[in-house]
Amino acid sequence: MEFRGNVIVKGVIECETGLHIGGNKDIFEIGGIDAPVIRDPITKLPYIPGSSLKGRMRFLLEWETGRVNHENGKPHNCSSEEEAKECPVCRVFGISAAENLKVGPTRLIVRDAHPTEGTKKEWEALDTGLLYTEWKKENYIDRITSKADPRDMERVPKGSEFEFEMVYSIYDMGDGGARDVEFFRYLRTAMKLLEDSYLGGSGSRGYGKVKFKDIKVVFRSRDDYMEGRDGEKLGEDMTLDGMGEVVNRLRELVERSGR
Ligand SMILES: [Zn+2]
């Protein structure tokens, strides 16, 4: 198995509705809110953890590819090496370490997404009594007692933007890296599924509708790393639709990187 390079996908996540990714109430108790959002412990700014983004995309791709584990509700994991190699969920999003299958490193890294400068300014101007956020009272029903359980949900306001970065690695597993190039499309599929679903909590109440925009894709080959180069731009200012068009150029560059 040989490393061929990384595809770096960057851009902006726009919240088309309020976003609630739960934080730790004990640490982030602000104004006695019942359900606080997760914040950076240093800056106190809300952010989107890479693990939330990746976990949600993995889950949606499990459904899309018919790999949901209905028996125990645990995340899908292929049980054999042969299976896992051809499985976009395991190959791209990773497999639990306990399974110990030789499909190579998890192809996808998703970094934490932090607010853009513009969004930080907008948050600073908010007058909601909370720091950088807003809140809404949501009425939950206790499933056991059927009693109303109103909760103050803290959320990142609609229109907020976060800068995201994902790194997709390409390995030659005796195929010149062709399989990983082909499986790159599942990243876009998962992003598209996320746009039509939701991120974070209370999705059924309309929270967490997000959109990927200003997408920029760069391929940085093994040689680029050796020479300290930035790599080749495959596209910029794209939407998810445009992201599909970079695959042919990516295939060329990966083939060239093996020579
Ligand atoms: Zn699998």
Side-chain angles (χ1 to χ4, degrees), residues 167-222:
V167 180
Y168 179 88
S169 302
I170 293 181
Y171 288 87
D172 178 353
M173 295 182 80
D175 61 353
R179 199 47 141 195
D180 281 343
V181 170
E182 192 194 315
F183 272 26
F184 178 67
R185 70 190 159 98
Y186 286 108
L187 173 56
R188 186 182 67 142
T189 300
M191 290 164 82
K192 193 82 195 162
L193 287 166
L194 181 59
E195 283 191 347
D196 289 340
S197 180
Y198 61 87
L199 181 64
S202 295
S204 59
R205 288 162 195 259
Y207 286 44
K209 180 167 166 34
V210 293
K211 191 165 183 65
F212 293 97
K213 60 180 204 183
D214 304 338
I215 301 171
K216 182 180 165 190
V217 182
V218 168
F219 177 65
R220 207 165 283 161
S221 70
R222 195 184 45 186

Side-chain angles (χ1 to χ4, degrees), residues 123-245:
W123 288 353
E124 277 161 16
L126 284 174
D127 184 19
T128 57
L130 294 174
L131 187 63
Y132 310 135
T133 55
E134 61 183 20
W135 62 277
K136 190 168 177 256
K137 198 169 274 303
E138 296 287 2
N139 227 343
Y140 288 83
I141 304 295
D142 187 307
R143 290 211 180 131
I144 296 161
T145 64
S146 297
K147 265 194 191 154
D149 175 20
R151 264 183 255 167
D152 297 331
M153 295 285 288
E154 186 181 26
R155 60 185 193 182
V156 164
K158 172 183 168 179
S160 298
E161 295 185 340
F162 295 83
E163 280 166 2
F164 75 89
E165 180 176 326
M166 306 186 195
V167 180
Y168 179 88
S169 302
I170 293 181
Y171 288 87
D172 178 353
M173 295 182 80
D175 61 353
R179 199 47 141 195
D180 281 343
V181 170
E182 192 194 315
F183 272 26
F184 178 67
R185 70 190 159 98
Y186 286 108
L187 173 56
R188 186 182 67 142
T189 300
M191 290 164 82
K192 193 82 195 162
L193 287 166
L194 181 59
E195 283 191 347
D196 289 340
S197 180
Y198 61 87
L199 181 64
S202 295
S204 59
R205 288 162 195 259
Y207 286 44
K209 180 167 166 34
V210 293
K211 191 165 183 65
F212 293 97
K213 60 180 204 183
D214 304 338
I215 301 171
K216 182 180 165 190
V217 182
V218 168
F219 177 65
R220 207 165 283 161
S221 70
R222 195 184 45 186
D223 284 350
D224 290 329
Y225 282 102
M226 299 281 267
E227 305 295 332
R229 290 188 302 247
D230 274 349
E232 183 137 350
K233 233 180 252 171
L234 299 180
E236 53 188 344
D237 293 330
M238 291 183 296
T239 61
L240 280 181
D241 291 339
M243 206 176 130
E245 288 158 24

Side-chain angles (χ1 to χ4, degrees), residues 58 67 76-78 83-84 87-91 95:
R58 191 188 200 275
R67 288 177 164 87
H76 155 87
N77 269 313
C78 281
E83 231 184 299
C87 170
V89 175
C90 291
R91 184 157 172 154
I95 201 161

Side-chain angles (χ1 to χ4, degrees), residues 4 13 45 74 85 89 117 133 141 145 150 164 169 176 187 190 226 246 248-249:
R4 284 301 185 87
I13 295 174
L45 290 161
K74 283 185 187 154
K85 267 184 192 168
V89 175
E117 289 305 315
T133 55
I141 304 295
T145 64
F164 75 89
S169 302
L187 173 56
M226 299 281 267
V246 308
N248 288 335
R249 183 72 186 127

